[in-house]
Amino acid sequence: MSDSRISIDDAIERLGMGYFQHRILVAAGLCFAADAMEVLLLSFLSVVLQAQWGLTEQEAATITSVVFLGALVGTLVLGILGDKVGRKPIFVFTA
């Protein structure tokens, strides 16, 4: 009796790249690009805030850190809440 199971790699190879896989690839790429733009924007913004508000480097770095801390807390809290009440209401709430 032969084993009819295949590995995940073989299953992916059999499916190939279709329209859906390309859409997912583009969506993931846009998410990565948006994340990279946020980091780039924060690096430029911290220099401007130092000049405009008379901040020290440590104060500007704290502002940048708080942005990422907020993203971390939001991800943890809203991720759990999204599992409980559904993702669509959470997306509407945060939009």
Side-chain angles (χ1 to χ4, degrees), residues 28-61:
L30 289 173
C31 289
F32 286 129
D35 192 45
M37 284 187 278
E38 180 184 11
V39 172
L40 184 66
L41 178 66
L42 285 172
S43 68
F44 290 131
L45 185 62
S46 65
V47 174
V48 173
L49 288 179
Q50 281 179 334
Q52 292 290 322
W53 293 354
L55 300 176
T56 65
E57 282 193 31
Q58 184 176 359
E59 290 169 333

Side-chain angles (χ1 to χ4, degrees), residues 58-80:
Q58 184 176 359
E59 290 169 333
T62 301
I63 291 172
T64 302
S65 298
V66 168
V67 170
F68 290 111
L69 179 66
L72 174 68
V73 171
T75 298
L76 294 175
V77 171
L78 296 176
I80 293 169

Side-chain angles (χ1 to χ4, degrees), residues 1-37:
M1 187 161 126
S2 68
D3 191 10
S4 62
R5 293 184 288 178
I6 63 172
S7 70
I8 293 175
D9 290 336
D10 290 337
I12 292 173
E13 191 65 35
R14 285 184 189 178
L15 285 174
M17 284 291 286
Y19 179 70
F20 177 75
Q21 288 82 5
H22 283 104
R23 284 183 56 190
I24 293 295
L25 186 65
V26 168
L30 289 173
C31 289
F32 286 129
D35 192 45
M37 284 187 278

